[in-house]
Amino acid sequence: MDVHITLGEGRGDLAAQVYRQLLDAILDGRLRSGERLPPTRELARRLDLSRNTVALAYDRLVADGFLVGRAGAGTFVSAEPVRGRAAPKGVIRPRPLWRGIEPPAAVPPAPYDFRAGMPDARLFPMQTWRRLVARELRAGAAGYADPAGHAPLREAVSRHIGISRSVHAGPDDVIVTNGAQQALDLVGRVLIEPGACVAVEEPGYWPARLLFRSLGARVVPVPVDAEGIDVAAIPGTARAVYVTPSHQFPLGTPMSLARRAALLAWAERRSAVIVEDDYDSEFRFGDRPLEPLQSLDRAGRVIYVGSFSKTLLPMLRLGFLVAPASLGPALRTARKLSDWHGELPTQAALACFIDEGLLARHIRKATREYAARHAMIAEALAADDRLRPVPASAGLHLCARLVPGVSVEPAPGLAVERLETYCEEGAPQPGLVLGYGGIARDLIPEGLRLLSGSLRGP
């Protein structure tokens, strides 16, 4: 373990300086129990000190119980637990707007896990993915990369979304991101002025709502009905509107074609931008998907955002955005200034995964499994007269509203999310959001039995 020690100006007590800095490193936890220190001769040479000076500091730490010498092995931090010192609390405070930004409490994992947004990692072809990533690592690509992303991946993504979602985009229109959340962050940095009004769906995707608020935007919730966002309720001052039209999150209903046309007309009249998040729409079990807003847009006012978190794995952090050409340079610059670029081997592996047809094959296989889980849960929700299921034919979750007077009590072993989590404070909509990506099919019946037992009321 290399230890950084800085000696003060002047002669002073050099052994005491070495002692104090090593002691600080141990107490702070930078040197952990069991770690080996450099030999006294080596450390003395690096510090340009006599060996006796360093040995004196070591001996004092051994006498105090912080170090232990092992014959023929060296000197180690004591195996006895050392209580780390807390960092100073400090007086620096974040900007006031951060005081009101706090994500909802996470639902902890449980044996019967109905949390939303979790794909089944067991369905992912991990061996194939390891092979592709290993191949890219062996290629030994080094140096900085294009902030817009690996060129073959941008080309593969443009083909994939063109075929599967009818999105009109070429490789130059695509910017690869670390998930959809970074895509939204880049859009916000480039387009949203502090204090500007951004309209979001209600109920809606809280990570987007909090992100826009963190950028200084005035976020206004707009109600969603059976056809999608209520365009007439969007504030006239809104400069941007964030929507999930293909599979509204969390309700699951698609935006009607008439409502899509009305939203595009609103954006044209108001000189506003539409951020279209194609949330969770890869897995479809019934209806033919409607045209995305991006493909219906004729004025260049739609930014299309997508992610591979559900089709692949959330930990891979792979997403993208498709923007009008007028925004391309600014978005690329914003990406470069935030983290320069993403992880090149992973991007290159995904390009191969798409080009070799492996992504399409994986989606087909996963869709069959998710369709079976979807059907089991939909049937159970429809059979319970305390619930009013919201029809949905895609995605990895289902939503049901609670009949007035019905409440939910926590049940041991059951993880389920409440619809209120996705609503602005003060406007609750009692209901449940049940994901089926994180629970095996054979566990669903018992999980639903626990859920039914947790409902109280009429």
Side-chain angles (χ1 to χ4, degrees), residues 5 33 35 113 117 135 156 163 226 229 233 363 389 440:
I5 294 177
S33 297
E35 286 190 314
D113 196 342
R135 185 173 68 189
I163 294 171
I229 193 169
I363 291 176

Side-chain angles (χ1 to χ4, degrees), residues 111-319:
Y112 301 96
D113 196 342
F114 289 100
R115 288 178 298 162
M118 299 293 294
D120 191 340
R122 293 166 296 186
L123 300 178
F124 183 66
M126 188 62 76
Q127 289 296 108
T128 299
W129 182 256
R130 286 196 187 103
R131 174 179 59 81
L132 293 174
V133 173
R135 185 173 68 189
E136 297 303 328
L137 289 172
R138 285 194 299 270
Y144 292 107
D146 187 339
H150 186 51
L153 177 57
R154 288 187 279 122
E155 186 172 343
V157 167
S158 67
R159 286 197 307 272
H160 170 68
I161 59 179
I163 294 171
S164 66
R165 299 294 295 118
S166 296
V167 172
H168 301 157
D172 291 339
D173 302 315
V174 175
I175 295 179
V176 180
T177 62
N178 291 329
Q181 196 71 4
Q182 188 187 44
L184 298 178
D185 184 62
L186 294 177
V187 171
R189 290 174 183 273
V190 167
L191 288 176
I192 299 175
E193 297 279 358
C197 178
V198 175
V200 299
E201 297 169 319
E202 174 74 1
Y205 187 56
W206 64 258
R209 183 173 69 233
L210 294 188
L211 172 64
F212 293 134
R213 190 170 291 155
S214 76
L215 296 174
R218 181 170 60 88
V219 178
V220 177
V222 178
V224 173
D225 59 25
E227 291 192 71
I229 193 169
D230 184 356
V231 177
I234 299 176
T237 57
R239 299 276 58 82
V241 58
Y242 168 82
V243 289
T244 53
S246 297
H247 180 246
Q248 201 280 330
F249 189 87
L251 298 179
T253 53
M255 185 183 294
S256 69
L257 188 59
R259 195 64 62 84
R260 293 173 190 236
L263 181 58
L264 288 168
W266 169 87
E268 179 69 10
R269 289 195 309 272
R270 298 292 181 178
S271 299
V273 63
I274 299 171
V275 182
E276 177 181 17
D277 188 344
D278 197 14
Y279 187 94
D280 213 8
S281 66
E282 298 87 355
F283 305 111
R284 302 201 65 84
F285 319 122
D287 301 337
R288 180 180 179 274
L290 295 172
E291 292 292 306
L293 290 164
Q294 193 271 352
S295 67
L296 299 172
D297 179 27
R298 296 294 179 266
R301 296 202 169 274
V302 175
I303 300 174
Y304 183 88
V305 173
S307 169
F308 293 99
S309 292
K310 309 300 185 299
T311 49
L312 303 179
L313 295 173
M315 69 176 184
L316 297 178
R317 308 310 305 141
L318 286 166

Side-chain angles (χ1 to χ4, degrees), residues 397-411:
H397 72 273
L398 282 163
C399 183
R401 299 185 186 276
L402 297 179
V403 169
V406 175
S407 61
V408 184
E409 292 187 357

Side-chain angles (χ1 to χ4, degrees), residues 11-77:
R11 303 178 64 178
D13 188 340
L14 297 176
Q17 292 184 46
V18 175
Y19 167 85
R20 173 52 57 187
Q21 293 189 50
L22 288 175
L23 177 61
D24 285 345
I26 294 170
L27 294 176
D28 290 342
R30 288 175 284 136
L31 284 175
R32 296 174 295 176
S33 297
E35 286 190 314
R36 183 177 182 271
L37 268 67
T40 54
R41 188 186 305 276
E42 178 185 330
L43 184 56
R45 177 182 56 78
R46 280 197 270 131
L47 297 177
D48 195 21
L49 297 174
S50 72
R51 184 183 179 189
N52 287 341
T53 298
V54 176
L56 183 61
Y58 276 32
D59 290 344
R60 185 176 170 188
L61 288 164
V62 169
D64 290 344
F66 293 106
L67 298 181
V68 59
R70 299 175 189 169
T75 304
F76 297 81
V77 178

